Amino acid sequence: MDPADMDDEMNTPQRTRGLVAAAIVGVSLSVSAQNAGWDAKFRAIPDPKNIGEYMKRMSARPHHLGSAYDRDNAEWILAKFKEWGWDAKIETYDVLFPTPKERSVEMVAPSAFKLKLEEPAMASDPTSGQKTEQLPSFNAYSIDGDVTAPLVYVNYGRPQDYDELDRRGISVRGAIVIARYGASWRGIKPKVAAEHGAIGCLIYSDPADDGYVVDEVFPDGPMRNSSGVQRGSVMDMPTYPGDPLTPGVGATPDAKRLDMKDVTTLTKIPVLPISYADAQPLLAALRGPVVPGDWRGALPITYHFGPGPSRVHMKLAFNWNRVPIYNVVARMQGSTYPDEWVIRGNHHDAWVNGAQDPGSGMSAVLEEARALGELAKQGWRPKRTLLYIAWDGEEEALLGSTEWVEDHEKDLREHAVAYLNSDGSGRGFFSPSGSHSLEQLVNSVARDVEDPETKMSVWKRAQARRIANGSKDERSDARSRGDLRIAALGSGSDYSAFLQHNGVPSLDLRFGGFDTSDGVYHSIYDDYYHFTKFLDTDFAYGRALAQVAGSMMIRLADADLLPFEYTNLADTVQTYVKELETLLKDRQDAVRERNKEIEEGVFTAVNDPRRPLEAPKSETVPPALNFAPLENAANALTQASARYQKAVDAARPKLASNAAALRAVNARLMQAERQLTDDAGLPKRPWYRHLLYAPGYYTGYAVKTMPGVREAIEQKEYAEADSEIVRVARALDREAALLDSVTSLLR
Ligand SMILES: [Zn+2]
């Protein structure tokens, strides 16, 4: 890091505290002089040219799960790992992966229109014409179906969109819904539609969200053109991800498999994604009331709710095959603590050619692995064992990582130190998320990596963004808190099984903010041509990603004392408790206000009789909840983490030379994240065991923190909220007790 930068960052007492602590925890215990400089040496090695070459090779042909080139890539990655000095192998599983056998959608009234369901090749884009190897556009894990029904437009298809429909007396029962992509994860749309009685679901990409409203469309610009379609999984992953037939266990050949009829994660209704060229005639023919302003997309039509007179016939049939997963697992043995594993991963499979998703992340990970191999040739030996894993089948349902974690659950409980994930990455700001016990490590590394465009540290640029775009609290935090806050993890990539099923501290690392890759996301146009024309064109941010993640891997592997830090975790937990209290209070206030307005006759008075809305029904005000156990436990954790920090600082000089003490301390620290899990799992979804972080049951990828409590309040299940408060409090108490046990070891 530039020393001038460092002075600048240390000009307030809080910053000094954060910086000093970060420096000590991460590095100073790996005291031996020959080790101290390895991560700086490492950062000089990654070369953007190589990253571009790996991407070009891996995205040269479509390589979805089960395809010939998917396997070819896995074998190529395996050979590369070996060439770079890693001990590598392919681990396989057998998973259920439906691919389209028949797809047809037509409007049968008021006029006839047959949807094309095709993305055309572009003359300027050399891989867009690889028709025979491309997976057609579809949503994986939709059920088969043959349905004909009137159409209803449901905006983004979230629960609150159905409240709007209810106020107009519009039901989707027996209808086919058309939802637009965006605002919630796609799998939520058919799930909520089916809960409301719909019998089919179409999902289209509106130009307002990722098309011509945002920027020029492909091939003139990066955004989605009229024929572009977003493929993607609609499996009910908030219930459990991975192979639908083998929940909770690895999908090995002899694993016990569910009968298809007992699988709960397939959709309940047939679903298909379409382009806006295909959607427009259907939407244009809808009548019924005109939708409110925030429901309108950017097509040159007046948007109506329906139902009908557009009547749609959709017929879908899939090949319900079992296909092999090829995870490539590379290992570099640790010299001092070989039984402690630091794990890094990115998926290698794509929906089609996948240059951005996953190529931008995967090729950076490969360059990291090459650079670490290079470092080993220069004499470096990681103290802990490194595992670098290229996952298969991420796109369908995090299949490769989930099956591997389920298969190796016992080993991971004993040996896993941390898991660092990446996936599609871009140009701009460093955007880390993950376990808050790793927040300080993330910050310390981010201060040491240079932003390719501004030459300031990636930390400094991320800080500037928070100040520029943040709320008042976020600005003040970014200026005065020692560490930038990292976001919590929901789902959407391969960390889920590590963190949420198995309690392994995890991070997801990426850059972004300037380029929108959304415009080709999961289409045939996410390819090398698009990436090198519109995104991280010189792979400079690919290099930055390799530098950030590789440096973290080295510090995790070499630090004598594991670089976990708990005062930041405790601080974040306190903010979650306050958020929940505010959530309940806001709900109480909102219900009280609405009940009052109903009494006052406000809804009747402001109603437009030509476009009448039904008045909402009065509701019972949410009861008070007892947050005391949670407040007490959060305070206990705050105190225990401070005691631990103090004890670590005091013990540091003698600890460095006491191998036995270090081992004992590290062994306990490795169990710290797991204290935040509960084997019973979350209500309605036992696969998810982490009590602080989960994807939302009704939002999909987006995170819900303290999900048991938060979702119970949102779903108005107040008795459950009270019992979940107690369960989270117990987990925080376990964490505090574990830290106290480490503190006593240090004394
Ligand atoms: Zn991806």
Side-chain angles (χ1 to χ4, degrees), residues 347 349 357-358 394-395 423-424 492-493 522:
H347 69 99
D349 68 297
D357 179 10
E394 187 270 357
E395 293 295 1
D423 197 330
S493 197
H522 293 180

Side-chain angles (χ1 to χ4, degrees), residues 154 156-163 165-166 172-173 175 177 179 184-201 203 234 236 238 267-269 271 696-700 715:
V154 296
Y156 293 112
R158 301 162 295 182
Q160 64 264 42
D161 293 321
Y162 289 86
D163 296 342
L165 288 161
D166 285 348
V172 302
R173 193 156 294 282
V177 301
S184 72
W185 174 61
R186 76 180 81 73
I188 297 302
K189 300 168 198 282
K191 173 166 155 171
V192 179
E195 286 176 358
H196 285 82
I199 59 168
C201 177
I203 313 177
V234 285
D236 190 3
T267 62
K268 306 290 181 275
I269 56 177
V271 197
Y697 192 72
Y698 283 108
T699 56
Q715 306 307 317

Side-chain angles (χ1 to χ4, degrees), residues 341-372:
W341 304 349
V342 187
I343 310 167
R344 177 84 171 98
N346 199 108
H347 69 99
H348 69 78
D349 68 297
W351 274 117
V352 195
N353 295 74
Q356 197 276 339
D357 179 10
S360 54
M362 189 66 241
S363 45
V365 171
L366 288 177
E367 185 59 358
E368 234 176 276
R370 184 190 72 83
L372 292 171

